[in-house]
Amino acid sequence: VFAFLLAFLFAARRDLGGRHALVFLASLWPVAWVAELSSTRVGIPFGLYHYTGITRGQELYLADVPFFDSLSFSFLAYAAFCLTRQTLPWCRESPTRLAMASGVLMMLLDVVIDPLAVRGDRWFLGRIFYYPEGGAYFGVPLSSCAGWVIVGAIGVRLYLWAARRWLVEASRGGRPQAGVGLYYGVLGFNLLLTAWIGESTLLLVGVCLHAL
């Protein structure tokens, strides 16, 4: 998380400027934390899951949600935001289209990240959370995908509202390339770990989805 967070701050500063990088972080993190808090209680929007708390005393918790877990949504959303701007230029003129497309591309990271994280006891992450009722997608409920789209779209839309002057400038420029690299860096890291623990079917599905 620290490595990807530093990469996000570097890329966002070059792309958006230092102040806007912090605005992006401040826009995404509260949305993610509220969504996680709600999901661990009533199952909305990700589906019901619980943190095991095995890292208490080693990292900061806000209520029952690890701080850095919710913080990671910020750099994942930024990476998806950059990929949207780089590959879907027709979205840049509309804040709503840009936010929705960013949410969808962030969700496509989740199709690899979440099933891998559920299997954290088989690699160095550890069993930090679990879905008590499992799920249809490699042990993850399909509602998780919907939750990632919602959180990504709302967070990016909040940022675009806060930075609406920048949106006009971004349609004529911006430097999203490092953020695109971050997107595929996160994806590649998770695919490598998926291969390392021997989840060949999950690996194949993840590769095929992103190849499309």
Side-chain angles (χ1 to χ4, degrees):
V1 172
F2 275 118
F4 287 131
L5 182 61
L6 289 174
F8 153 69
L9 292 172
F10 171 79
R13 184 176 180 275
R14 285 168 51 88
D15 177 24
L16 312 175
R19 185 181 64 171
H20 279 281
L22 294 178
V23 171
F24 195 98
L25 190 68
S27 299
L28 262 296
W29 174 76
V31 176
W33 181 77
V34 169
E36 289 214 273
L37 189 69
S38 172
S39 293
T40 57
R41 284 160 169 74
V42 296
I44 298 173
F46 298 117
L48 184 65
Y49 65 95
H50 302 293
Y51 283 100
T52 62
I54 61 171
T55 57
R56 284 192 181 274
Q58 303 172 38
E59 64 173 319
L60 175 65
Y61 275 70
L62 297 178
D64 58 343
V65 177
F67 171 69
F68 284 104
D69 190 80
S70 53
L71 189 65
S72 67
F73 280 84
S74 299
F75 62 73
L76 297 173
Y78 172 72
F81 176 58
C82 288
L83 186 60
T84 302
R85 289 156 54 212
Q86 182 72 24
T87 59
L88 302 173
W90 55 273
C91 288
R92 292 184 302 196
E93 301 296 332
S94 166
T96 301
R97 284 202 305 264
L98 185 54
M100 284 300 300
S102 298
V104 171
L105 288 178
M106 189 174 83
M107 177 272 294
L108 286 174
L109 288 174
D110 177 55
V111 301
V112 178
I113 292 174
D114 220 10
L116 178 65
V118 166
R119 293 158 172 78
D121 56 342
R122 294 168 55 187
W123 53 289
F124 52 80
L125 180 67
R127 189 173 185 266
I128 62 170
F129 78 105
Y130 63 95
Y131 292 96
E133 298 181 1
Y137 181 76
F138 298 99
V140 176
L142 296 179
S143 55
S144 176
C145 294
W148 277 59
V149 173
I150 291 168
V151 169
I154 291 176
V156 170
R157 189 64 183 87
L158 280 175
Y159 167 73
L160 293 174
W161 174 81
R164 47 194 176 277
R165 288 185 181 177
W166 177 87
L167 179 64
V168 177
E169 298 169 4
S171 67
R172 297 192 293 267
R175 304 172 70 179
Q177 292 82 5
V180 174
L182 175 61
Y183 186 97
Y184 286 106
V186 171
L187 176 64
F189 173 77
N190 282 274
L191 288 175
L192 282 172
L193 284 173
T194 301
W196 184 52
I197 66 172
E199 287 287 342
S200 56
T201 305
L202 176 59
L203 175 66
L204 179 62
V205 169
V207 169
C208 288
L209 285 172
H210 282 274
L212 288 173

